[in-house]
Amino acid sequence: MGRVNPEDEKIITLARSSRARNGAAEGAAVRDETGRTYAATSVDLPSLKLSALQVAVAMAVSSGAEDLEAAALVTAAGTAAEADVAAVRDLGAKAPVFVAGPDGSLRATLT
């Protein structure tokens, strides 16, 4: 997976597992300031469309998180959308965003 610590590998694995389990286009996971993790997939309903990172950040916020340590996105796309990175930055200004391919290989780290 490249050069990431075990805790960051964990959120990449959680994102990858969520994506595979739901057959979603994207999977994401975030880790908050207390070490809690939140995993999510993209939502694509007729009346609601959210990216996986947006859902994961929303889950963290609704659970009381005040900061993010890191975020991971598993996608076939080469990078994260600006809106996804902005959602992470709203809660964790310094949190790296790890972008991995469907096989879990790290493609980019957005800081």
Side-chain angles (χ1 to χ4, degrees), residues 27-82:
V30 298
R31 183 177 62 249
D32 74 11
E33 76 281 3
T34 67
R36 292 179 297 184
T37 57
Y38 308 88
T41 61
S42 48
V43 174
D44 190 5
L45 299 173
S47 63
L48 180 63
K49 296 191 186 320
L50 297 169
S51 73
L53 268 175
Q54 289 170 336
V55 175
V57 169
M59 291 171 63
V61 169
S62 69
S63 295
E66 296 179 5
D67 193 13
L68 292 181
E69 291 182 347
L73 173 66
V74 174
T75 179
T79 190
E82 272 187 48

